[in-house]
């Protein structure tokens, strides 16, 4: 990386320009709710340009920063820029986002707004099998107990129980529910009971593309609802990836240079 060249790190904010949102940490570019696909090198080139907006970056600087691990020609940069322009629909002059500076390089010219990443989570009332009234209230009780625990943890925004109660009797696709709640992630669960054994299966889903990021099964002995809640919440709060498995977010395609 060239000396003095600003880059992103693990605390980098989301970068919004035009109708696009660039998540530097997790290599995701979105237009509204749609993911815009870029190869890994093109994505890194875009990040470098956006982070250094208003500054002209030469082909050599981009080559040294993005392609330091491979041997390529300067034309490789031009191909990456062309891919980025196609993804941003930035072909016509005057361009909206990337300006070519003749004999010098490229400059990102659009206004950029920064937004710190604080992922939000919606914990939906769990589905049940083999539970009868009044035991079916475990569906909401377990979700509420987990919401309360996670609300006390840093860097996590959890939808309140009141916001998710409507999904207790109105089963809905978890991704649709997450969008209605404006959540980044949804945690859904299934409770099964056989005798005194209760099995709870959880799945964490990213709302933007419906991709499952994490799943786990917990077995408990049903002695009382409160004992079950305490044991369940303790195990889940330890096992749930933090913060909400964003480290598992989809990476850009790494097949190309």
């Amino acid at each position: 990386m060239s000396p003095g060249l600003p880059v992103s790190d693990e605390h980098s904010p989301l970068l919004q320009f035009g109708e696009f949102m660039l998540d530097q940490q997790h290599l995701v570019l979105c237009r509204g709710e749609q993911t815009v696909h870029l190869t890994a090198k093109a994505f890194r080139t875009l990040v470098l340009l956006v982070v250094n907006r208003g500054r002209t970056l030469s082909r050599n600087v981009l080559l040294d920063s993005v392609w330091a691990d491979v041997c390529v020609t300067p034309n490789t940069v031009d191909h990456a820029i062309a891919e980025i322009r196609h993804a941003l629909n930035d072909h016509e002059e005057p361009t909206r986002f990337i300006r070519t500076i003749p004999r010098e390089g490229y400059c990102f010219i659009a206004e950029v707004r920064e937004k710190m990443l604080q992922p939000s989570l919606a914990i939906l009332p769990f589905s049940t099998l083999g539970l009868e009234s009044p035991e079916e209230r475990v569906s909401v009780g377990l979700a509420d107990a987990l919401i309360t625990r996670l609300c006390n943890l840093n860097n996590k925004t959890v939808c309140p129980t009141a916001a998710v109660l409507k999904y207790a009797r109105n089963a809905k696709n978890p991704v649709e529910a997450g969008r209605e709640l404006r959540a980044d992630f949804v945690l859904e669960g299934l409770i099964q009971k056989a005798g005194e054994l209760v099995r709870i299966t959880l799945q964490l889903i990213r709302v933007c593309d419906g991709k499952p990021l994490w799943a786990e099964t917990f077995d408990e002995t049903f002695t009382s609802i409160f004992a079950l809640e305490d044991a369940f919440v303790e195990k889940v709060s330890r096992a749930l990836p933090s913060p909400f498995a964003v480290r598992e977010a989809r990476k850009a395609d790494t097949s190309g240079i």
Side-chain angles (χ1 to χ4, degrees), residues 18 44-45 60 90 131 154-155 208-209 212 230 237 242 245 248 255:
R44 290 177 59 190
T45 301
N60 287 337
D90 194 33
L131 272 73
N154 293 329
N155 300 320
C208 68
D209 57 6
D230 290 343
S237 60
S242 177
E248 297 301 319
S255 61

Side-chain angles (χ1 to χ4, degrees), residues 82-120:
E83 180 184 344
I84 295 169
R85 289 193 193 281
H86 178 74
L88 301 181
N89 193 24
D90 194 33
H91 304 289
E92 298 183 2
E93 294 290 345
T95 55
R96 298 172 57 201
F97 301 114
I98 300 174
R99 177 176 296 163
T100 301
I101 311 299
R103 295 181 297 278
E104 293 188 35
Y106 299 98
C107 180
F108 194 87
I109 59 175
E111 178 185 356
V112 177
R113 294 182 295 277
E114 296 187 356
K115 176 183 177 182
M116 294 309 297
L117 179 64
Q118 189 179 29
S120 58

Side-chain angles (χ1 to χ4, degrees), residues 36-54:
V36 180
H37 298 283
L38 287 172
T39 58
K41 298 297 189 183
F43 190 94
R44 290 177 59 190
T45 301
L46 176 60
V47 170
L48 205 60
L49 288 168
V50 176
V51 170
N52 294 277
R53 52 196 175 275

Side-chain angles (χ1 to χ4, degrees), residues 2 5 44-45 48-49 57-68 77 81 105-106:
S2 301
L5 193 63
R44 290 177 59 190
T45 301
L48 205 60
L49 288 168
L57 303 184
S58 69
R59 287 179 178 81
N60 287 337
V61 166
L62 292 171
L63 282 172
D64 291 343
S65 302
V66 179
W67 285 270
V77 175
I81 295 295
Y106 299 98

Side-chain angles (χ1 to χ4, degrees), residues 18-196:
E19 64 273 31
F20 297 93
M21 183 73 76
L22 180 64
D23 184 343
Q24 306 169 72
Q25 298 181 39
H26 312 117
L27 305 184
V28 177
L29 174 67
C30 294
R31 179 194 289 112
E33 295 182 353
Q34 291 185 326
T35 299
V36 180
H37 298 283
L38 287 172
T39 58
K41 298 297 189 183
F43 190 94
R44 290 177 59 190
T45 301
L46 176 60
V47 170
L48 205 60
L49 288 168
V50 176
V51 170
N52 294 277
R53 52 196 175 275
R55 177 178 179 179
T56 300
L57 303 184
S58 69
R59 287 179 178 81
N60 287 337
V61 166
L62 292 171
L63 282 172
D64 291 343
S65 302
V66 179
W67 285 270
D69 56 336
V70 292
C71 182
V72 294
T73 67
N75 287 338
T76 302
V77 175
D78 300 330
H79 291 312
I81 295 295
E83 180 184 344
I84 295 169
R85 289 193 193 281
H86 178 74
L88 301 181
N89 193 24
D90 194 33
H91 304 289
E92 298 183 2
E93 294 290 345
T95 55
R96 298 172 57 201
F97 301 114
I98 300 174
R99 177 176 296 163
T100 301
I101 311 299
R103 295 181 297 278
E104 293 188 35
Y106 299 98
C107 180
F108 194 87
I109 59 175
E111 178 185 356
V112 177
R113 294 182 295 277
E114 296 187 356
K115 176 183 177 182
M116 294 309 297
L117 179 64
Q118 189 179 29
S120 58
L121 172 69
I123 301 174
L124 302 180
F126 303 145
S127 302
T128 59
L129 287 177
L131 272 73
E132 300 178 356
S133 182
E135 291 178 345
E136 65 180 2
R137 67 181 183 269
V138 173
S139 166
V140 175
L142 288 179
D144 177 64
L146 189 56
I147 288 170
T148 301
R149 171 68 68 89
L150 293 181
C151 278
N152 294 325
L153 300 181
N154 293 329
N155 300 320
K156 291 179 170 63
T157 301
V158 183
C159 295
T161 303
V164 301
L165 277 178
K166 62 182 178 180
Y167 300 105
R169 295 284 185 179
N170 181 23
K172 196 162 193 174
N173 180 289
V175 172
E176 292 182 11
R179 288 173 178 163
E180 290 180 358
L181 295 166
R182 298 184 180 276
D184 298 302
F185 302 91
V186 169
L187 186 69
E188 66 168 352
L190 172 65
I191 307 171
Q192 301 177 78
K193 186 171 183 288
E196 296 302 313

